[in-house]
Amino acid sequence: AICTERCGYSTFTAESGGVVLTEPFAQNDLNHMLEELVLSPDLIAEMKSATISYAAGFNLYHRQRKAVDFIEENFPCAR
């Protein structure tokens, strides 16, 4: 994946082996990265493999539940 630093998923993109373009956005940077990907099938395969590995160990859809559990465990309310 390719995104900019402003993307809400840029942290995940970077952690999963993707490319995060710096701000301010520059079309030439994107063009260069796209050209690099088109000319390098090995790079695409590396990114794909890294993304699949990352996704296998990451649960994006239960983050809110983990946050609530953490808060409830560490900051008990008086009832």
Side-chain angles (χ1 to χ4, degrees), residues 3-55:
C3 68
T4 66
E5 290 175 326
R6 288 193 177 227
C7 174
Y9 290 97
S10 64
T11 302
F12 304 121
T13 300
E15 290 174 355
S16 68
V19 176
V20 178
L21 301 173
T22 59
E23 288 291 329
F25 174 77
Q27 185 66 49
N28 286 338
D29 292 344
L30 177 60
N31 293 349
H32 174 74
M33 181 49 58
L34 291 172
E35 180 180 12
E36 192 174 328
L37 289 171
V38 168
L39 298 176
S40 179
D42 291 341
L43 180 58
I44 293 173
E46 266 181 52
M47 289 174 73
K48 179 180 177 180
S49 177
T51 300
I52 290 169
S53 294
Y54 180 78

Side-chain angles (χ1 to χ4, degrees), residues 64-75:
Q64 295 88 346
R65 180 75 250 159
K66 287 186 179 268
V68 169
D69 290 344
F70 176 82
I71 291 167
E72 288 178 348
E73 290 170 10
N74 292 285
F75 304 98

